[in-house]
Amino acid sequence: MNRLWTPAWIVRHVAMVVLVAGCLGLGWWQVTRAVGGNAISFGYAIEWPVFAGFVIFVWWREVRQALRAEPADAQQAGDPAPSAAAGPEPADAVPAVRRPVRVVRVPAAPADGADDAELAAYNRYLSWLNANPGARPGDYPG
């Protein structure tokens, strides 16, 4: 539980309380406007509590994820991880944090090696449009 009382987590807790209180306050304000005769405010009176619920949902999910995560100081101290007691990790295990992988995409060449005539005409049209930024599509000479 001490992991949830670091300075970063205290800021998150305070932000959650402020956002939820603000959303509920704005929802109440919309209710009072709706009762006063503003029909559109009925929709907003429903919307603001939904926003508050979403803030609570995201905060709760982050708290659960932080509590499930292995403490960083236990790994650095050389203590065995809880999963290490059960045996070695399988080779195909997915890491907790996945890093993005850059894949270079190469445009596919035609299978028969011949250029597509429609594609070449379209590319010429796009080149012309790029060279003539103020022109309309109907001005294309080809």
Side-chain angles (χ1 to χ4, degrees):
M1 276 309 258
N2 290 337
R3 287 180 276 181
L4 297 178
W5 293 110
T6 62
W9 269 106
I10 291 173
V11 169
R12 289 176 186 158
H13 296 317
V14 170
M16 185 273 303
V17 169
V18 168
L19 285 172
V20 167
C23 288
L24 292 177
L26 287 170
W28 182 251
W29 172 63
Q30 290 296 333
V31 167
T32 59
R33 287 193 53 174
V35 170
N38 188 351
I40 293 177
S41 292
F42 281 114
Y44 292 124
I46 294 169
E47 222 172 52
W48 283 109
V50 170
F51 291 156
F54 180 72
V55 169
I56 292 171
F57 166 74
V58 170
W59 173 80
W60 180 249
R61 193 179 72 185
E62 291 297 318
V63 166
R64 285 189 330 178
Q65 186 175 1
L67 289 177
R68 285 186 195 152
E70 192 173 319
D73 46 342
Q75 285 179 344
Q76 293 172 356
D79 295 340
S83 61
E89 218 172 348
D92 60 343
V94 177
V97 177
R98 297 183 61 174
R99 306 271 184 227
V101 177
R102 253 183 219 192
V103 177
V104 179
R105 301 205 184 255
V106 186
D112 58 352
D115 287 333
D116 186 8
E118 289 182 25
L119 180 62
Y122 182 67
N123 285 334
R124 281 193 304 274
Y125 172 67
L126 291 178
S127 297
W128 182 84
L129 282 177
N130 191 32
N132 302 297
R136 293 175 294 174
D139 297 337
Y140 181 59

